[in-house]
Structure formats: C-alpha cells, structure tokens
Amino acid sequence: MKKAMITGITGQDGYYLTELLLAKGYEVTGIVRRTSTPNTSRIENFLSHPGLKIIEADLCDSSSLHKAISLVKPHEIYNLAAMSHVATSFFQPEYSADVNGVGTVRLLEALRSNNLEGFTKFYQASTSELYGKVQAIPQNEKTPFYPRSPYAISKLYAYWAVVNYREAYGMFTSNGILFNHESPMRGLNFVTRKITSSVAKVKQNKMSVLKMGNLDAKRDWGYAKEYVEGMWMMLQQNIAEDFVLATGETHSVREFITEAFRAIDIDIEWRGKTGSLEEKAFCTKSGKVVVEISPELMRPAEVDLLIGDYSKARTKLGWAPKTKFSELVNLMMENDMRLVAEGKL
Ligand code: NAP
Ligand code: G4F
C-alpha cells in the first residue's frame, strides 16, 4: 500500500487531496498543527476513515517534522501547509517567510536526515503569485518571476529550494505552479468565497452591502478538486519536473461579483468611475447599493493580471481543467445559499 503524507491537510486543497488519495487506496497521514480550538472541520468526515492517520507537527518545528517522517516513511509528501493569505503576509512578513520558506527547507531536510532522499517523492505547493508583476502573458514554466508580496517572496525561496534539492541531491521534488483555484471549501477571506458567501447573505437579507478592495485585479480561477489531481499526476512521473496548472482564462474581481449575483437572478449595475473609490454596484430592480469600495482592503502592492498556459501539463501529464468560470461561480453560490439558509454562515 502506498503511503502519502499531507502537510496542510486541514486546508482547502488538503480536503480534496485527502478525498482523492483515500479513494485511490493510499494510507494517508495528515500533519495538523496544534491550535486552541479544533482546526479539522473540513476533514471531519474523513477522521474515522481507517486509511487516515493524523500526526501533530508544525512547519515551524524541525524536530516534529523529523519524527513524523521517521514514523511514516511516506512514498509521497504533498507540502500544502502555508500562511497562504497574500494580504495577511504584508502584516506578518517574517512569519510568512518562516512557515512558507524555511518550513519547506525543514521538511526537505527531514527527508534527508531520515535517509529518504532516494525514496520519497515531494510535491511543493508553488504559486502563480511568483509571476507577480508579470513579465509575459500568458505565464508558463519559463516565465521569469517578479514577486509582489512577502507571501510571494517566501514562496520564491521555497520554489528554488525544491529545484536545488532536486539538482544537488537527486531528490524527486516537483513544483506545482498553481493558479488560483477555488471551491466551496475555500477560506472565507479569499476573494471568491468572500463574494459568494456575502452575495448569498445579501439575497437572504442578512447583509446589505459587500465591501471590496481592488475590483480590477484579474485572476485565472479554476476548480480546486481538479487541481489536486494534477498534483498527484506530477508525482506519478518518472522524472521530477515543475508544472503550471491553470485554466488559460482570466476574469476581473468585478466580473466575479457580477456573475455571483447573476447566479441567483439578481442583475447589478456598476456606477461611478471604473477603478475609483467611488465605484459602486446597484441592484437594478431595487436600486439599492450592494457593493462599495473600502480603501483599507487595497494591498500595498498588487498582482494585476494572472493567466496561465498549462500546455506542458496537458502534454506531459494529460491534465486539463474541466469546470468553466460560470460553473465554478454557480457551484460556490449554490453551496453558500444553502449554508446561509441553514444558518451555518
Ligand atoms: P489554506 O486553505 O489556507 O490551507 C493552508 C493549510 O496550511 C492549513 O491546513 C493550515 O492549517 C496549514 N498551516 C498553516 N501554517 C502551518 C504550520 N505552521 N504548520 C503546519 N500547518 C500549517 O490553503 P489552500 O488554498 O488549501 O492552499 C494549499 C497550498 O497551496 C498553500 O501552500 C498555498 O499557499 C498554495 N497555493 C494555493 C493556491 C490557491 O489558489 N488555493 C494557489 C497556488 C498555491 P490550519 O487549518 O491550522 O490553519
Ligand atoms: O482571493 P485573493 O485573496 O487571492 P490571491 O491574492 O490571488 O492569492 C491566492 O491565490 C494565489 C495563487 O495565485 C495563492 F498562491 C494564494 O495562496 C491565494 O490562494 O485575492 C484575489 C484578488 C487580489 O487581487 C485582491 O486584491 O482579489 C482582490 N480583492 C479585492 N477585494 C480582494 C478583496 N481580495 C480579498 N481577499 N478580499 C477582498 O475584499
């Protein structure tokens, strides 16, 4: 039986990857950090699965990682753990570097100190944030990086550590350079889920106005469930390489909001100078303001446009995205309409 270890198992991608690997018959070990209140709500349904074990460890603590790896000796490690919120990283730059950057090296070193460098395959959750102020459109594996946040800088360090350990020690280490991927499991403070949960509340009269930051930012948004399949495919190759996973389509935050309202049959109209602090969205039928701008939600430096070229993944892995933008918005809206109605949001 194949053994996989997942750091960040309690996050969005951790949920979908656990589901996938358990269905494939893997014995899965999840690394969960200590928190004062339970942080396992997403994976609650899997906790009683005989194929799942949980070990308490932290990306900031080398000895806990060394022990976990020595206990399990996994065939595959998926390093998904991170301080993954870009806006937060401007307020916690040092912590972001510790978890995301040095944490990755701690994990790679734990493999080496357990003499597993020739045995364990390693997946690193790299990111399209690395492209930052983009140097080419669309972005692929050869596009130069230009990080624009402490988060992206920490992930750049991890990216190069993964390349370096592959070249220096012959380890099977792969970077998945994943563009934004969303789902009903997405954290509530990422823009897509903030929008779908808030629009559902507006519809059910539990919120009046949605406050937003930069509406002009464009992202390549895909469905997380499909992206974790790509992660697994990367580790089934004979040679370790880095791959972009994306949809090849880009949409603005403004378009996402319009689409979310449309999904529940509300037409909105944008008024005020596009991109200005005065811009607002009105419900066409009621005339009420439903979206306005909050300057404090703007970032000190922004990533304006991301659009990925996933042709390498399509050719070498046979991976391609299936869910279209409007389908993604619809499935997230459907979920959040239900959760709000049930009083769970
Ligand atoms: P997420 O929902 O924020 O999950 C992050 C996970 O990391 C959580 O399980 C969290 O645990 C864990 N974690 C944080 N600090 C830790 C520490 N010190 N030690 C151990 N675990 C720790 O993120 P996601 O959206 O699933 O993304 C997964 C990975 O892919 C992240 O590395 C992210 O940076 C990267 N990525 C994401 C996207 C995307 O669009 N989703 C795109 C590219 C790359 P708690 O539950 O205790 O907080
Ligand atoms: O949803 P976001 O917070 O995601 P962001 O910054 O693109 O990062 C996500 O994707 C990366 C992959 O490219 C991952 F590596 C990373 O871990 C994370 O999962 O913001 C998207 C855009 C930004 O341009 C932001 O300025 O939406 C804009 N935005 C506008 N108003 C907002 C808001 N973002 C958030 N979170 N909240 C707002 O109110």
Side-chain angles (χ1 to χ4, degrees):
M1 186 186 278
K2 263 194 166 178
K3 289 188 280 188
M5 178 176 279
I6 305 175
T7 74
I9 192 168
T10 58
Q12 169 190 256
D13 291 3
Y15 167 82
Y16 287 110
L17 185 60
T18 303
E19 182 181 56
L20 179 79
L21 296 181
L22 288 175
K24 286 186 184 297
Y26 275 71
E27 186 183 299
V28 176
T29 301
I31 297 298
V32 175
R33 62 174 165 168
R34 188 265 165 189
T35 47
S36 69
T37 49
N39 55 355
T40 49
S41 59
R42 284 193 182 94
I43 54 165
E44 211 62 55
N45 290 346
F46 302 132
L47 289 178
S48 54
H49 193 292
L52 178 66
K53 266 200 312 203
I54 297 295
I55 296 183
E56 200 173 279
D58 197 300
L59 262 275
C60 298
D61 185 83
S62 305
S63 64
S64 65
L65 298 174
H66 177 88
K67 275 185 218 140
I69 286 176
S70 121
L71 271 173
V72 178
K73 299 192 172 45
H75 298 91
E76 297 170 10
I77 293 192
Y78 296 85
N79 182 29
L80 309 184
M83 200 309 288
S84 71
H85 200 264
V86 174
T88 302
S89 76
F90 286 99
F91 298 97
Q92 299 180 17
E94 189 182 333
Y95 177 68
S96 305
D98 194 14
V99 181
N100 305 355
V102 184
T104 303
V105 169
R106 289 188 187 105
L107 204 51
L108 289 164
E109 279 299 315
L111 281 178
R112 294 189 62 226
S113 56
N114 278 294
N115 300 314
L116 292 172
E117 58 267 67
F119 178 76
T120 305
K121 291 182 168 184
F122 186 94
Y123 172 85
Q124 169 61 16
S126 283
T127 166
S128 50
E129 278 289 303
L130 295 171
Y131 299 118
K133 190 169 178 179
V134 298
Q135 304 295 296
I137 297 172
Q139 298 86 45
N140 64 25
E141 294 81 0
K142 296 203 168 94
T143 306
F145 298 135
Y146 193 136
R148 293 272 283 171
S149 64
Y151 167 79
I153 297 166
S154 68
K155 286 282 189 176
L156 185 70
Y157 177 78
Y159 170 92
W160 282 114
V162 165
V163 173
N164 183 247
Y165 277 59
R166 185 162 75 213
E167 293 175 354
Y169 308 118
M171 291 170 70
F172 190 112
T173 55
S174 275
N175 283 293
I177 308 171
L178 270 52
F179 283 64
N180 298 50
H181 43 281
E182 317 296 316
S183 74
M185 289 289 155
R186 188 57 143 151
L188 287 164
N189 56 1
F190 294 92
V191 80
T192 56
R193 189 81 198 286
K194 174 174 168 177
I195 295 168
T196 57
S197 60
S198 305
V199 168
K201 286 179 189 165
V202 169
K203 171 79 176 175
Q204 298 180 39
N205 297 318
K206 290 180 176 149
M207 184 189 266
S208 50
V209 181
L210 164 57
K211 307 240 190 222
M212 297 297 305
N214 180 11
L215 300 177
D216 285 321
K218 289 186 153 186
R219 290 290 182 276
D220 178 327
W221 280 299
Y223 183 24
K225 191 177 165 79
E226 293 161 10
Y227 284 52
V228 301
E229 284 179 36
M231 294 176 187
W232 176 78
M233 286 168 165
M234 286 179 215
L235 295 199
Q236 309 318 305
Q237 301 302 296
N238 292 324
I239 296 167
E241 287 185 67
D242 305 324
F243 291 92
V244 160
L245 300 185
T247 70
E249 253 188 55
T250 193
H251 297 273
S252 67
V253 171
R254 190 182 291 100
E255 282 173 80
F256 196 104
I257 297 173
T258 305
E259 192 64 35
F261 276 106
R262 189 176 296 142
I264 48 162
D265 299 323
I266 295 180
D267 284 330
I268 59 166
E269 196 183 313
W270 294 95
R271 293 188 213 149
K273 191 167 177 287
T274 305
S276 74
L277 294 179
E278 284 71 47
E279 189 175 7
K280 290 183 173 43
F282 294 77
C283 169
T284 313
K285 201 168 161 199
S286 69
K288 285 186 186 154
V289 175
V290 285
V291 183
E292 57 189 27
I293 307 300
S294 268
E296 65 272 18
L297 292 171
M298 301 288 182
R299 297 178 182 178
E302 180 60 280
V303 172
D304 296 322
L305 166 73
L306 292 175
I307 178 164
D309 164 10
Y310 64 93
S311 21
K312 181 177 173 187
R314 189 180 49 211
T315 310
K316 290 201 165 176
L317 305 177
W319 182 90
K322 298 181 192 83
T323 305
K324 303 300 288 178
F325 175 69
S326 61
E327 292 168 339
L328 177 64
V329 178
N330 275 324
L331 73 88
M332 290 177 72
M333 276 308 304
E334 212 170 284
N335 173 73
D336 283 346
M337 284 294 285
R338 181 177 51 76
L339 291 183
V340 172
E342 290 171 358
K344 292 181 179 157
L345 266 186

